[in-house]
Amino acid sequence: QLQLVESGGGLVQPGGSLRLSCEASEFMEPYAIGWFRQAPGKELEGVSCLSRYGDITNWGDSVKGRFTISRDNAKNTVYLQMNGLKPEDTAVYYCAAHYLYCSTRVSRYEYDYWGQGTQVTVSS
């Protein structure tokens, strides 16, 4: 099965930037890759998703214009560039795979493969 590993999280000050990476264990081109996040005690939130054809789904207005998703199929890696980070962005960030297209349903049961997550903490 497809294995996904997130990296790039950490502690950053408000207004700072991070680039998260999602590396797949095998050829990932047939998959849409989405980024999700979950803060303690809160529901899973969709962030952004990139289909295998380059179509982008952005779920939340709170990250619009600040987060950018991209992929490098040669490296089997999808990135999430996060700029202008705010304390409310603090969460565990997950990447997940869905065949071909991004599903608009934000659910652990909708996407087929998930990484273990990487912690992003935005604090002074």
Side-chain angles (χ1 to χ4, degrees):
Q1 62 178 4
L2 188 67
Q3 303 288 330
L4 302 175
V5 179
E6 302 94 337
S7 63
L11 176 64
V12 64
Q13 293 184 326
S17 298
L18 287 173
R19 188 181 72 162
L20 305 183
S21 297
C22 174
E23 185 175 4
S25 61
E26 59 186 66
F27 184 61
M28 67 181 301
E29 190 170 351
Y31 295 95
I33 304 294
W35 284 98
F36 303 83
R37 67 185 185 184
Q38 189 166 26
K42 296 185 178 180
E43 297 294 320
L44 184 71
E45 179 184 3
V47 178
S48 186
C49 181
L50 182 63
S51 82
R52 70 151 294 172
Y53 303 107
D55 304 298
I56 296 174
T57 297
N58 294 309
W59 278 278
D61 291 337
S62 64
V63 302
K64 184 179 180 180
R66 298 190 296 121
F67 293 5
T68 303
I69 192 170
S70 62
R71 73 192 300 159
D72 186 339
N73 286 325
K75 296 181 178 180
N76 286 329
T77 301
V78 172
Y79 304 97
L80 184 68
Q81 179 66 46
M82 305 187 296
N83 299 321
L85 286 163
K86 303 175 181 180
E88 52 263 43
D89 294 319
T90 296
V92 177
Y93 283 71
Y94 301 91
C95 64
H98 188 279
Y99 186 61
L100 294 180
Y101 297 102
C102 299
S103 173
T104 58
R105 182 185 177 190
V106 180
S107 171
R108 283 280 190 175
Y109 302 101
E110 181 68 12
Y111 284 66
D112 300 300
Y113 305 101
W114 292 80
Q116 294 184 14
T118 184
Q119 176 71 49
V120 172
T121 302
V122 185
S123 176
S124 298

